[in-house]
Amino acid sequence: MKRLFPVLVTLFSSSVLLSAQSPPKNESPPPRKREPLVIPDVPRNELICFALYTTSRGVFKMSAFLYPLKDGEERKLTLEVMWDGKWQPLIEAPVEELGWMAQFRGVSPWDDSRDHRYRITHAGGSLYEGVIRRNPVEKDEIVVANFSCNGNNDRGPREDIIRNIKAQNPDLLFFAGDQSYDHKEHYAAWLLFGRQFGEICRDRPVVTIPDDHDVGHPNLWGEGGEISRVPTGNDGGYFMPVPYVNMVQRAQCGHLPDPVDPTPVKNGITVYYTSLLLGGIDFAILEDRKWKTGPAGLVPQMGPRPDHINDLAYDRQSIDVPEAQLLGARQLKFLESWTNSWNGVEMKCVLSQTPFVGTAHLHGGKADRLLADLDCNGWPQSGRNAALRAIRRGFAVHLCGDQHLSTVCQYGINAWGDAPWVFASPAIANIYPRSWDPLEKPKRRDAASALPATGDYYDGFGNKLTMRAYFNAVPENNMGVGYGIARFRKSTREVTFELWKRGADVTKDKPVTGWPITVRQQDNYGRAPLGWLPTLKITGAKDPVVRIVEESSGETVYALRIQGNQFRPKIFNAGSYTVVVGEGDHQVTLPNVSSLPLDGPEQNLEIIIP
């Protein structure tokens, strides 16, 4: 019988471990029977557990994860690539004992025009092989698998998911957070994650981002890196040791493209927000909770705890505290730049942990009703709206998870449907069920949906949302477990969302009732126009980028790559605009373009791209 290593012996000295606060309670009581989390004592030629990689804009990065090394064993790994029929050493990387990982950065610019076979080797005989895929720019449809919440109530293999993903063959895997629910034992849980999903990660790019449970929190309000003083964390900040938090982030995000601005936040906590370009789809990778303000002491407590509201008399607007942050100034600045950048881009998508709206009414095993949950990103409302205004300027959809409740809905800021669509994936394994079960009737019923409680609603914060589909975590739905698929179709500029329940066979079964759902790219800025600019008739460029700038404010109204050579820009204020068409040296800037009334005659503007 194999000997089992103590779970944390390789992570921290006892003094560091003891300095952390007692682990906070999970959101729900643990299952009666939960298999212990162990690190198997593997043969020495099986030390490499799994690897993750991305390629983007000519840069290749990979992280490899090992079982614990013993004294005297080699502390480095070698990455080799098959070139001209021979294995060629590419990079050597040291093994970091904090988390037992090694990180590789490939030659730059990386040749992403073809597949590359790779292998990682260790002097002890361990060998790990896979394929670094080419950039699928030639494909019309780019497929993303959307996962979240890998609950520790089921530590078994994920054979049904692996089988389906191999059949669906997505171009990108996205794990939106809570890959680990074991708080102080991320390393051991991360190795388990590798055993569960490594088979589909070894030969395609993967985005993994940590959420609250990954860094040891039941809920997280990061408050820009402050130190939390309470075991619930709702005063804002982190309570796990900074080296632990950084180890988790390095393990899960070290293979992502470099951060836009690597400057750590307070107390030296690192950041990872960035963008990834794959197959003409530009993915902004956000940190939902790192700058989010904690609610304790900021809003009146109107329930059993500062972040749970159960007082029927509460005023939704009273908890919208203008100084409370969501994404923070740095990420909003990044989004402003990202939505304006279209080099090699046809469509855009935001990847983050959780929806910017409250969709769960019933919580926990007893299905208790909760009027508002400040852990979701529907709060703070002003910060939420600022994020959505930035995202919709690039006509981006939003993929996320976290809620243990899969939904597809469209955000609303000032009106229903004036902001992006969002697809929240279900839990892979669900430790805390949630359900969409509104008491009020919709302001408008969604006749296109096969589900009853769809249409225009307010959430518990007064935010507008249009619910299109939901998959409640109830016994008849197998507690709502599964995963999502998003298909970006470049030829039609549409995105199709599919929801697949655990145990389904994608080769013969259908998606969950209510899915698939297809949305158009331009619906992600569904704001009704108050006027128009002249219709742009463009020669000299195919599918050019168009950017509209309001001259009175200097702000970009929106930017996108149009289809064809004709586009009628909508605007939301009467006035003068600058129209920028094309890219780089092949760009035309037209200032002082006057708006036209909504019901006025159409005018044309001829543009020749040099």
Side-chain angles (χ1 to χ4, degrees), residues 16-55:
V16 174
L17 284 175
L18 291 173
S19 71
Q21 298 185 20
S22 299
K25 295 180 180 179
N26 281 334
E27 293 171 315
S28 62
R32 292 181 181 178
K33 293 183 179 180
R34 179 175 294 166
E35 295 180 16
L37 182 60
V38 296
I39 301 177
D41 184 6
V42 299
R44 308 323 288 167
N45 63 349
E46 298 177 9
L47 285 173
I48 303 173
C49 179
F50 73 112
L52 304 172
Y53 77 84
T54 60
T55 60

Side-chain angles (χ1 to χ4, degrees), residues 158-313:
R158 306 293 188 237
E159 294 170 344
D160 59 319
I161 294 177
I162 301 303
R163 180 181 64 249
N164 284 340
I165 291 299
K166 287 183 175 180
Q168 292 167 320
N169 193 24
D171 302 285
L172 177 70
L173 305 181
F174 171 47
F175 291 87
D178 292 343
Q179 284 70 251
S180 163
Y181 277 81
D182 288 280
H183 290 200
K184 282 193 175 183
E185 304 176 64
H186 180 269
Y187 171 61
W190 192 234
L191 292 177
L192 174 60
F193 171 84
R195 294 193 293 275
Q196 291 170 328
F197 292 100
E199 186 61 25
I200 55 174
C201 294
R202 69 170 66 235
D203 60 0
R204 74 195 74 226
V206 182
V207 170
T208 49
I209 54 176
D211 203 359
D212 41 20
H213 293 284
D214 295 292
V215 295
H217 278 244
N219 289 311
L220 175 64
W221 295 267
E223 197 118 8
E226 292 285 359
I227 300 300
S228 172
R229 305 299 178 186
V230 300
T232 56
N234 53 39
D235 61 335
Y238 295 76
F239 50 63
M240 291 295 281
V242 169
Y244 184 91
V245 174
N246 286 346
M247 180 273 295
V248 171
Q249 295 186 152
R250 186 159 171 77
Q252 295 209 18
C253 306
H255 67 289
L256 299 183
D258 293 346
V260 173
D261 175 1
T263 306
V265 293
K266 295 176 183 177
N267 294 296
I269 292 177
T270 56
V271 302
Y272 58 84
Y273 66 97
T274 187
S275 68
L276 179 145
L277 179 60
L278 181 74
I281 314 301
D282 193 9
F283 299 92
I285 301 169
L286 299 183
E287 304 186 57
D288 281 14
R289 309 183 191 279
K290 182 154 286 172
W291 282 271
K292 186 173 180 178
T293 304
L298 192 65
V299 298
Q301 186 162 328
M302 294 170 281
R305 50 195 244 194
D307 55 313
H308 280 183
I309 296 178
N310 278 331
D311 184 349
L312 292 172

Side-chain angles (χ1 to χ4, degrees), residues 357 384 388 408-413 415-423 444 455-457 464-468 519-520 522-527:
V357 69
R384 172 255 194 194
L388 292 179
V408 172
C409 61
Q410 188 173 19
Y411 299 124
I413 302 174
W416 281 281
D418 68 358
W421 283 89
V422 56
F423 180 20
R444 179 193 60 86
D456 294 341
Y457 290 88
K464 295 179 176 69
L465 74 144
T466 300
M467 181 59 68
R468 182 68 182 273
V519 302
R520 298 177 303 173
Q522 291 196 37
D523 290 342
N524 291 292
Y525 199 161
R527 187 178 176 187

